[in-house]
């Protein structure tokens, strides 16, 4: 104590520096000591120790290393202040201890199981045997729970019935810990039998995580960053695409949905725009890669979003999702790892749990949000005039260039008189209240040899678009059985029947019900109903027949998608000994899609009686793998090797046919049989990937030194069928290390401290099939004459996968019993030889060629901070915050001209996205004004601003993003909310373009009646004095200065709120329920900050990176409210 | 025992991986497409012919109205009608380039596949003629273009140089001379030929007729060369009847509908695309019997009548061409302010929600003729050839008698309209033709005007506007008055060149820049191409 006082009293300006120096030196010394004692390992119960001025702990530590003794002592009570010199040769431990504790207030007692208890001299230690049982929150036995005697590293684990028995000092405290549960301490205090109920936790010190290939590892030992999100965060406030629920929850993970209605695709980027193609991560479900094919998406010319593979998964079945961010984490997946990997573990039954029934019901409503803030002064018309007749009203159906809204009576396009004032409801009234009703029943059971879980789920959704919705039924079975004591078999089957009705077209006008957003300000959207005339012909509402009447689009256009999907896995694991096993696994993901798209009779733009297309396709992915795992101490208690060797054969197949035809013979009878002629074709290389096969072999080896230093290395060799035979194989290595310094050096308050370093090289897919040869096709005959052609895509005989190298360093710190924790990573990654499909001019004979020359760089920081600032018996508050900064740069495109790589565009077509060397991708390329040397805008002789060249105006992918989660518990109440944010990204907004072009943007109010004299100069430098009619001016402005449509996409949103109540068990005693919980849920409640006036900055119509940040004529964003009820029945 | 089991597993595993890659080549072979060894090169010719002939918006949006053959109030057509940016302007101005090179690459590949194979010599030479035909259209629109290095990406040339139009013309003429002379009717002809069904003698006539057309383009800049090749063509034997026309009938039922029909059947287009006043007035001034064959006004009144596709009124005296440069925006350029505006076609009170049709009294291209999805696409005709021979003869070159050629042309042009549709619709009575031909002999002093005005009428009524626009630039006929309108992309003059595709600066920047440098004024609609430069 004196020492500390002194230290505090004389603290000078160097104290921090000194402390660090002391810590550093101590660390070095400790390492040296430990290395020194390596040489002394040769006896069991006798020790050889040579230490100078060592404290008691160090001596104990040395003894533990050399013997099978374990020590129990209290930190508070150990004789720590004395430093001793000790030099013994092959002496009994007891003798050493006797000498060590002589002349101290302490003594020791040796108990039956080689446990040595250090206590004060006056304490009597009695040996006791305590037995007990550990159960989970439902009362089901928990096998495999770790039980330690507090103050020692001695312990046991529960058996398959959750039972245990252990010799302890009678005053000992037992510490129970298990993956996914709060650690619990129980004082023995003379008891002989205890029953311990563990409480689930979201975070713990000793978590086991599922890593690549489904190998479970101790999270604290990992040399790379992974984040696990538990299913309970996903299954209350549900998203129809579960991937969307990850938004804001994981550092490094950026997710952007598509405003395409229920089940739409998500754009998922891990650690920035990894490569030019920057696809979604690989999803692996229960160890088996699943297909995540995008089934069709919108582009600038319209089309619907048909969802991605992950959108089929039922959130209620998910136990956890683990995000493997870095390349070291995912390196074992070889070429599929470049975009990261997300591992999904589905719920399973537990052994010896008995039979359990659980029922969950969830109802959520979706309300469309009007994000527009349009002018409300001027109405429909052109050049300042109201429409004089129905024909004028049609010509200005979406134009707000009329007169001031004065309440007078004007003729609408329906030929009737309507007040020239804002209608009682604006366009948003067209959208109905959507709803999703999800019911899941699950049955679990388990005896000593096996366990199962079966769940049945039904999701019934009505989209906010009338006549559109999603119906999904999911059957999930997970069963495991011990065939013999050494052989375990596991079966997982997930059967999905998904029916999607009338997914709305997005972006461009044909068949798009969202065209309702184009209606002129004074027009009531209801006058567009029913959307067709007496003869059944569509009634257009503008003079552009490709802008389909929204009612006609919603009620008459039809698009139905039927999907039947079975994701199944069968695995068998044979444990040769307790440290070596062999596992074989077959995983099969089989998807059958049938889609019918109908352009109805009467469609304004379609000739004849409409037409239809029917597409049937099958995607399958078969993965067969074997894994040999061994975990053994190479040097007893000192160096442990965890080794896995394996191989995988992946076969992917895709096939299908498409039949289409036009002009139904009998109008309104939509059948292939009713077409005068049909054309059919087999689906081919441009419709989907496959067939392909990849053979792979891999290993992973972890060398753990005393649990505080772990070195891991992995390697994978892949052979691809899609590559030319000369160039088929590629090797992906990784190495990582973690050092848990807190195990070596005690820092007050710090429970856990780890430094991790890793380096990996993986590869990315070279692209699709059949790319290495020239093919000729037989085309439709023309008046009976045979014709043929070939692709305008030039093949490349020298393709190989691109490579991605990544270095990552990070640290993980947990303080005060995990009341505060940090996880920080820095990564730097770069791709080499990316295959780009470069545009070449048609004059070369082809439009595209593959070049293996692209390079992309990403550097970033990920920070996760979590804590429990308040924890009392009734109340707890656990916030967590994550932050990601990613700096992306395109280093090289084709390597020669380094020309921009053109990406997607929006329907106005006067700006586009592109990858630009030296800048973050994808950049918005848009036109700015032409300015003279002094920065003044230059106008042409008509008084209209001149159009400058396209220039890069910023990336559409955010630089900074993350989220803040807050979780409050009070007795049986729980309140959680998630705020997420995004900064530094641009949006290319078609809505903004149209709002200016159509006179709805507030900026178009200036000069409405007087005309506009643009502030600036003419070509000659003289001031511009030409007065231009407002409509002419602003329309030219919208067309020429596309930079006006490049908006700041930053936002902060209150993403999710859940408020839950768990009915106390005491209330349920006379009911059939063992637990009932009720949650009120809400998503997308409040946009706290945004910079876009008329749109939701997240809005978009395509998940493709080529269209990232492009927006226009898609569904409005929605607010979602609902409740979730969960019932568990008594056994 | 355990160890042995482990090792066995490893060995089995390893051999599994090694062995399974044997079938990788088979897996990565497209089952739906074939290889050069199996492909029939003839098939590529048919695909090239249909693609090249089926132009649709490529020329409807620009050339058809720059030459004032058609007119339109709809903003989508403002590129052509008013020289003002309209719908998808950037995309469409590269269409002639892309469509023609796209077709040419099929021909180029066809020639590669038969290279050195004597049994395919006719196919090879027909390919050469087709290539000239396709590349001529591109150079006539854009000026200097990739030619000598074009279409060779497969050989590694992904940024071809732009050759000067002068060198391209020189090369085209010599290519035609060689290839046409080498055609041998005693050997087998092309087997997938949409022009002539493989008749080599007709290909020979096409070769010389094309040579004549290419030569005559040079009348302003190089009359000597023009004369040399015009006479060579005449002596070699140009088309001798309308049966020799190069044309392709679209085939709607098999996925190749006529692109003009596709465009004009769009309601907006159908409602507002009309014959231009320039064309219609001229035809009326000569009492051309083709007026009733090609033009009609809606039979009923009002919007509904204008949008039904029933046959309209074809009476010649009732036809009114629409002046170019007007819109429906209610301002100063509203069509109602056009000189001689015939008035709206008033709403029919018996039709619910009917409205007046502002363009309803202007003549539209006859629906049954031009909106036919199986319509013939006309590329090069006997009539055009006769007119060019007439002009050459007028210039004093040894290509026969001008008056005879002119009379032949008139007869053929009027007769041939009937062939546009599989079931003739645009029929001009033989007696009317005879009367007209007799009444319109070639008059000394106005030969060039008469010949080229007929060229204007013939190419316009055949919807071959690429040729209408090219011949206007070459001959100066018809004499056109430019449209004035706010926000034009020219200086108020009619475009005389197509701007290069917008993507060229990024796909072939250096060569593009070099070509632009050679253009006086830069890459503009108003920069003159070489053969138009005097």
């Amino acid at each position: 104590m004196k020492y500390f006082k002194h230290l505090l009293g004389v603290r000078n300006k160097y104290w921090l520096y000194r402390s660090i120096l002391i810590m550093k030196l101590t660390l070095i010394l400790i390492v040296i000591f430990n290395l020194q004692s390596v040489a002394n390992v040769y006896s069991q119960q006798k020790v050889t120790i040579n230490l100078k001025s060592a404290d008691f702990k160090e001596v104990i530590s040395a003894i533990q290393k050399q013997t099978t003794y374990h020590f129990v002592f209290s930190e508070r009570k150990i004789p720590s202040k004395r430093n001793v010199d000790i030099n013994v040769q092959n002496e009994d431990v007891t003798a050493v201890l006797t000498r060590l504790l002589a002349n101290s207030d302490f003594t020791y007692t040796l108990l039956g199981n080689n446990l040595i208890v250090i206590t004060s001299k006056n304490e009597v230690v009695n040996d006791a045997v305590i037995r007990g049982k550990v159960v989970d929150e439902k009362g089901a036995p928990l096998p495999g729970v770790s039980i330690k005697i507090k103050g020692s590293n001695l312990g046991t684990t529960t058996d398959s019935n959750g039972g245990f028995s252990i010799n302890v000092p009678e005053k000992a405290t037992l510490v129970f810990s298990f993956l996914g549960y709060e650690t619990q301490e129980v004082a023995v205090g003379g008891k002989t039998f205890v029953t311990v109920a563990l409480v689930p936790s979201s975070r713990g010190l000793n978590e086991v995580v599922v890593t690549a290939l489904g190998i479970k590892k101790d999270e604290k030992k990992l040399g790379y960053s992974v984040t696990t999100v538990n299913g309970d965060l996903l299954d209350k406030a549900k998203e129809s695409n579960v991937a969307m629920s990850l938004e804001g929850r994981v550092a490094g993970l950026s997710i952007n949905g598509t405003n395409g209605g229920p089940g739409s695709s998500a754009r998922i980027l891990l650690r920035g725009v990894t490569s030019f193609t920057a696809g979604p991560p690989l999803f692996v479900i229960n160890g088996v890669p699943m297909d995540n094919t995008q089934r069709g998406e919108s582009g600038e010319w319209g089309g619907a979003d048909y969802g991605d593979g992950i959108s089929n998964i039922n959130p209620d079945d998910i136990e956890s999702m683990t995000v493997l961010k870095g390349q070291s984490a995912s390196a074992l997946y070889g070429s599929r790892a470049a975009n990261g990997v997300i591992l999904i573990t589905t719920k399973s039954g537990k052994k010896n749990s008995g039979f359990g029934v659980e029922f969950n019901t969830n109802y959520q409503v979706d309300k469309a949000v009007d994000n527009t803030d349009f002018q409300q002064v001027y109405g429909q018309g052109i050049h300042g005039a109201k429409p004089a007749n129905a024909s004028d009203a049609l010509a200005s159906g979406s134009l707000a260039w009329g007169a001031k809204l004065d309440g007078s009576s004007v003729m609408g396009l329906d030929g009737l008189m309507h007040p020239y004032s804002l209608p009682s409801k604006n366009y948003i009234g067209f959208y109905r209240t959507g709803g999703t009703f999800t019911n899941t029943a699950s049955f679990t059971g388990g005896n000593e040899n096996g366990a199962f879980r079966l769940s049945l789920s039904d999701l019934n959704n009505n989209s906010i678009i009338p006549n559109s919705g999603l119906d999904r039924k999911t059957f999930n079975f997970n069963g495991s059985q011990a065939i013999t004591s050494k052989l375990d078999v596991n079966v997982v089957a997930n059967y999905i029947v998904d029916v999607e009705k009338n997914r709305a077209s997005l972006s461009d006008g044909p068949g798009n019900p969202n065209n309702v957003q184009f209606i002129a300000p004074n027009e009531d959207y209801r006058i567009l109903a029913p959307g067709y005339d007496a003869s059944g012909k569509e009634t257009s509402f503008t003079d552009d027949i490709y802008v389909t009447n929204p009612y006609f689009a919603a009620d008459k256009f039809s698009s139905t998608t039927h999907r039947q999907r079975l994701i199944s896995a069968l695995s068998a694991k044979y444990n040769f000994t307790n440290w070596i096993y062999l596992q074989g696994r077959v995983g099969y993901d089989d998807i059958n899609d049938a889609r019918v798209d109908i352009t109805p009779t009467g469609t304004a733009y379609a000739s004849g009686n409409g037409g239809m297309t029917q597409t049937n396709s099958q995607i399958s992915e078969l993965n067969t793998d074997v894994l040999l795992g061994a975990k053994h101490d190479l040097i007893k208690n000192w160096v442990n090797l965890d080794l896995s060797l394996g191989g995988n054969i992946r076969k992917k197949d895709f096939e299908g046919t498409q039949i289409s035809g036009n002009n139904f013979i009998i109008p309104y009878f939509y059948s292939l049989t009713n077409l005068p002629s049909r054309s059919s074709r087999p689906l081919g290389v441009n419709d989907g990937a496959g067939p392909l096969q990849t053979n792979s072999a891999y290993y992973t080896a972890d060398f753990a030194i005393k649990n505080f230093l772990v070195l891991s290395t992995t390697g994978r060799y892949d052979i691809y069928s899609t590559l030319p035979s000369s160039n088929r194989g590629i090797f992906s290595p990784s190495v990582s290390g973690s050092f848990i310094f807190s195990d070596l050096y005690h820092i007050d308050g710090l429970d856990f401290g780890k430094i991790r370093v890793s380096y990996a090289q993986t590869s990315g897919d070279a692209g699709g099939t059949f790319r290495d040869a020239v093919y000729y096709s037989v085309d439709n005959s023309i008046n009976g004459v045979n014709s043929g052609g070939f692709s305008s895509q030039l093949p490349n005989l020298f393709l190989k996968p691109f490579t991605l190298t990544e270095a990552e360093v990070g640290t993980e710190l947990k303080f005060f019993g995990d009341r505060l924790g940090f996880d920080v990573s820095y990564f730097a990654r770069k791709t080499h030889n990316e295959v780009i499909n470069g545009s070449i001019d048609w004059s070369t004979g082809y439009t595209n060629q593959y070049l293996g020359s692209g390079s992309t760089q990403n550097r970033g920081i990920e920070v996760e901070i979590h804590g429990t600032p308040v924890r009392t018996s009734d109340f707890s508050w656990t916030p967590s915050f994550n932050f990601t900064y990613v700096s992306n740069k395109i280093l090289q495109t084709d390597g020669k001209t380094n020309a921009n790589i053109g990406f997607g565009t929006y329907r106005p077509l006067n700006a586009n996205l592109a990858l630009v060397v030296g800048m973050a991708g994808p950049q918005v390329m848009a036109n700015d004004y032409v300015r003279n040397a002094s920065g003044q805008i230059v106008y042409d002789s008509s008084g209209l601003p001149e159009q400058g060249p396209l220039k890069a105006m910023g990336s559409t992918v955010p630089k900074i993003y993350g989220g803040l989660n807050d979780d409050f518990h009070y007795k049986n109440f729980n309140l959680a909310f998630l705020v997420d944010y995004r900064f530094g990204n641009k949006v290319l907004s078609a809505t903004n373009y149209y709002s200016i072009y159509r006179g709805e943007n507030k900026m178009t109010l200036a000069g409405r009646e007087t005309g506009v004299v643009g502030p600036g100069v003419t070509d000659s430098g003289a001031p511009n004095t030409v007065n231009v009619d407002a409509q002419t001016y602003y329309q030219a402005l919208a067309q020429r200065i596309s930079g006006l449509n490049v908006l700041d996409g930053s936002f902060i949103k209150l993403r999710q709120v859940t408020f839950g109540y768990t009915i106390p068990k005491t209330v349920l005693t006379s009911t059939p329920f063992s637990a009932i919980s009720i949650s009120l849920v809400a998503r997308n409640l409040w946009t706290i900050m945004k910079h876009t006036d008329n749109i939701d900055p997240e809005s978009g119509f395509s998940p493709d990176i080529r269209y990232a940040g492009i927006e226009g004529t898609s569904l409005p964003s929605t607010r979602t409210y609902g409740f979730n009820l969960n019932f568990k029945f008594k056994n | 025992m355990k160890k042995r089991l482990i090792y066995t597993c490893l060995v089995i595993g390893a051999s599994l991986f090694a062995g399974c890659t044997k079938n990788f080549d088979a897996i990565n072979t497209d089952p739906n497409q074939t290889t050069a060894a199996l492909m029939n090169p003839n098939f590529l010719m048919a695909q090239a012919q249909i693609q090249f002939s089926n132009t649709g918006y490529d020329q409807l949006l620009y050339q058809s109205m720059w030459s004032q053959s058609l007119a339109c109030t709809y903003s989508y057509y403002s590129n052509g009608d008013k020289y003002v940016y309209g719908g998808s302007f950037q995309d469409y101005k590269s269409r002639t380039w892309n469509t023609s090179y796209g077709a040419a690459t099929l021909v180029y590949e066809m020639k590669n596949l038969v290279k050195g194979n004597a049994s395919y010599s006719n196919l090879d030479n027909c390919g050469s003629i087709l290539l000239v035909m396709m590349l001529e259209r591109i150079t006539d629109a854009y000026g200097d273009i990739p030619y000598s290095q074009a279409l060779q990406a497969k050989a590694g040339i992904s940024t071809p140089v732009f050759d000067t139009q002068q060198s391209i013309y020189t090369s085209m003429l010599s290519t035609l001379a060689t290839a046409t002379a080498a055609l041998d009717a005693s050997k087998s002809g092309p087997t997938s030929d949409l022009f002539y069904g493989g008749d080599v003698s007709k290909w020979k006539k096409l070769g010389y007729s094309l040579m004549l057309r290419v030569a005559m383009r040079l009348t302003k800049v190089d009359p000597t060369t023009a004369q040399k090749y015009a006479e060579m063509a005449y002596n070699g034997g140009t088309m001798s009847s309308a049966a020799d026309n190069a044309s392709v009938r679209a085939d709607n039922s098999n996925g190749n509908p006529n692109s003009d029909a596709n465009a004009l059947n769009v309601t907006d287009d159908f409602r507002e695309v009309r014959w231009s006043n320039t064309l219609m007035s001229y035809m009326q001034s000569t009492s051309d019997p083709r007026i009733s064959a090609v033009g009609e006004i809606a039979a009923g009144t009002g919007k509904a009548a204008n949008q039904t596709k029933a046959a309209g009124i074809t009476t010649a005296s009732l036809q009114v061409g629409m002046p170019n440069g007007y819109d429906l925006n209610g301002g100063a350029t509203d069509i109602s302010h056009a000189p001689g505006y015939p008035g709206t076609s008033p709403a029919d009170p018996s039709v619910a929600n009917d409205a007046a049709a502002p363009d309803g009294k202007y003549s539209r291209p006859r629906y049954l003729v031009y909106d036919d999805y199986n319509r013939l696409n006309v590329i090069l005709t006997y009539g055009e050839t006769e007119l060019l021979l007439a002009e050459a003869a007028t210039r004093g070159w040894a290509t026969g008698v001008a008056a005879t050629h002119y009379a032949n042309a008139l007869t053929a042009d009027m007769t041939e309209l009937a062939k546009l549709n599989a079931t003739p619709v645009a029929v001009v009575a033989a007696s009317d033709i005879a009367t007209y031909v007799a009444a319109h002999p070639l008059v000394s002093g106005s030969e060039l005007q008469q010949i080229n005005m007929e060229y204007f009428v013939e190419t316009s009524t055949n919807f071959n506007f690429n040729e209408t626009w090219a011949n206007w630039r070459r001959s100066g006929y018809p004499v056109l008055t430019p449209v004035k309108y706010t926000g034009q992309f020219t200086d108020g003059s009619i475009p005389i060149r197509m701007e290069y595709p917008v993507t060229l600066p990024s796909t072939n920047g250096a060569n593009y820049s070099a070509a632009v440098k050679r253009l006086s004024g830069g890459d503009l609609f108003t920069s003159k191409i070489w053969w138009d430069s005097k």
Side-chain angles (χ1 to χ4, degrees), chain B residues 118-165:
Chain B
S119 63
Y120 279 120
S121 72
N122 279 332
L123 186 66
D124 188 23
N125 287 310
C126 291
S128 299
I129 294 168
L130 276 174
L131 271 183
V132 170
M133 179 186 277
M134 291 163 178
L135 294 167
E136 186 208 10
R137 181 183 287 173
I138 309 172
T139 182
D140 285 352
Y142 298 89
D144 296 356
I145 59 163
Y147 181 86
S148 57
Q149 293 186 355
L151 311 173
Q152 295 168 40
K154 226 167 130 184
I157 301 178
S158 54
T159 52
V161 297
F162 286 54
D163 299 287
T164 64
Q165 190 175 57

Side-chain angles (χ1 to χ4, degrees), chain A residues 71 103 115 188 207 237 249 319 372 402 759 797 983 1006 1053:
Chain A
F71 286 82
N103 304 323
L115 186 68
V188 174
E207 290 218 351
R249 296 203 180 274
E319 171 97 33
T372 60
Y759 179 82
L797 310 178
F983 291 97
K1053 287 186 176 186

Side-chain angles (χ1 to χ4, degrees), chain A residues 382 414 543 545-546 604 607 647-648 693 695 721 728 770 775-776 780 783 786-788 841 843-846, chain B residues 17 24-25 27-28 30 34 43 47 97 105 109 151-154 192 249 251 254 266-268 329 353 373:
Chain A
I382 52 176
D414 53 357
D543 60 355
I545 49 159
Y546 286 101
S607 55
N648 175 287
Q693 183 174 336
N695 295 353
S721 70
R728 262 186 191 141
F770 316 144
Y775 290 100
Y776 302 87
N780 287 357
N783 293 313
N786 289 321
S787 89
D841 188 69
S843 60
T844 63
Y846 296 83
Chain B
F17 290 117
F24 271 25
D25 287 328
I27 291 172
N28 203 37
D30 191 339
T34 187
F43 291 9
Q47 191 59 37
W97 181 284
T105 194
E109 184 70 6
L151 311 173
Q152 295 168 40
K154 226 167 130 184
S192 276
R249 183 166 305 284
D251 183 3
N254 286 305
V266 174
T267 304
D268 297 324
N329 293 346
N353 297 336
Y373 288 103

Side-chain angles (χ1 to χ4, degrees), chain A residues 12 54 62 113 166 188 209 212 248 452 526 529 561 589 620 632 776 823 874 961 967 999 1032:
Chain A
N12 60 28
N113 47 349
I166 186 169
V188 174
V209 290
F452 77 95
R526 285 167 287 201
T561 322
D589 186 354
S620 64
H632 202 57
Y776 302 87
D823 191 330
D874 283 341
Y961 53 90
D967 220 331
T1032 309

Side-chain angles (χ1 to χ4, degrees), chain A residues 301 382-383 390-392 394-395 413-415 486 533 537 539 542-546 574 576-577 580 582 604-605 607-608 624 626 628 645-649 651 677-679 682-685 691-697 719-725 728 768-772 774-791 794-795 839-846 849 896-897 899-900 907 909 940 942 944 947 997 1028 1031-1032 1039-1040, chain B residues 2 5-6 9-10 13 16-21 23-25 27-37 39 42-48 50 57 74-76 85-86 88 90-91 97-99 101-103 105-106 109-110 113 146 149-154 157-160 191-194 248-256 262 265-269 271-272 303 307 309 328-331 353-356 358 373-374 486-488 501 503-504 506-508:
Chain A
W301 302 109
I382 52 176
H383 296 290
S391 160
D392 281 4
L394 182 73
L413 52 89
D414 53 357
K486 293 188 170 178
D533 61 21
K537 179 131 178 81
T539 47
T542 72
D543 60 355
D544 183 351
I545 49 159
Y546 286 101
Y574 187 81
F576 291 97
T577 68
I580 185 160
L582 180 70
Y605 70 78
S607 55
T624 312
V626 290
L628 178 73
L645 293 170
N648 175 287
I649 297 176
K651 286 183 177 174
S677 67
R678 292 163 288 272
S679 65
L683 297 183
V685 65
L692 57 88
Q693 183 174 336
T694 311
N695 295 353
S696 316
I719 310 170
Y720 297 98
S721 70
T722 51
L723 293 174
S725 54
R728 262 186 191 141
T769 40
F770 316 144
R771 285 186 172 181
D772 60 348
V774 184
Y775 290 100
Y776 302 87
S777 58
V778 176
D779 298 339
N780 287 357
S781 68
I782 302 151
N783 293 313
V785 175
N786 289 321
S787 89
F790 50 90
S791 171
L794 195 63
S839 290
I840 50 177
D841 188 69
W842 250 123
S843 60
T844 63
Y846 296 83
Q849 68 176 346
K896 284 182 267 179
T897 64
N900 296 349
R907 184 57 183 87
L909 302 177
D940 67 13
S942 306
L944 303 174
Q947 183 180 46
Y997 187 85
V1028 188
Q1031 180 180 347
T1032 309
Q1039 286 177 315
R1040 296 182 180 190
Chain B
K2 274 171 194 160
L5 196 58
I6 296 167
C9 291
L10 282 177
L16 217 63
F17 290 117
C20 277
T21 61
N23 60 345
F24 271 25
D25 287 328
I27 291 172
N28 203 37
T29 299
D30 191 339
N32 294 323
Q33 299 189 81
T34 187
T35 57
M39 184 63 187
N42 280 286
F43 291 9
L44 299 174
M45 176 183 270
Q47 191 59 37
I50 188 80
Y57 279 130
Y74 185 43
S75 60
Y76 206 70
Y85 300 118
S88 305
Q90 293 292 12
D91 177 36
W97 181 284
N98 292 348
T99 305
Y101 273 121
T105 194
L106 291 161
E109 184 70 6
M110 174 185 88
L113 287 176
Q149 293 186 355
L151 311 173
Q152 295 168 40
K154 226 167 130 184
I157 301 178
S158 54
T159 52
T191 60
S192 276
D193 172 18
L194 300 176
V248 177
R249 183 166 305 284
D251 183 3
N252 187 37
S253 58
N254 286 305
N256 282 298
N262 260 351
N265 270 297
V266 174
T267 304
D268 297 324
D269 304 39
R271 191 179 61 213
E272 297 183 41
K303 185 182 90 174
Q307 291 181 14
K309 291 163 181 181
L328 296 180
N329 293 346
N353 297 336
D354 198 22
Y373 288 103
N374 292 315
T486 308
Q488 288 177 320
T503 46
L504 270 177
S506 62
T507 52
N508 193 4

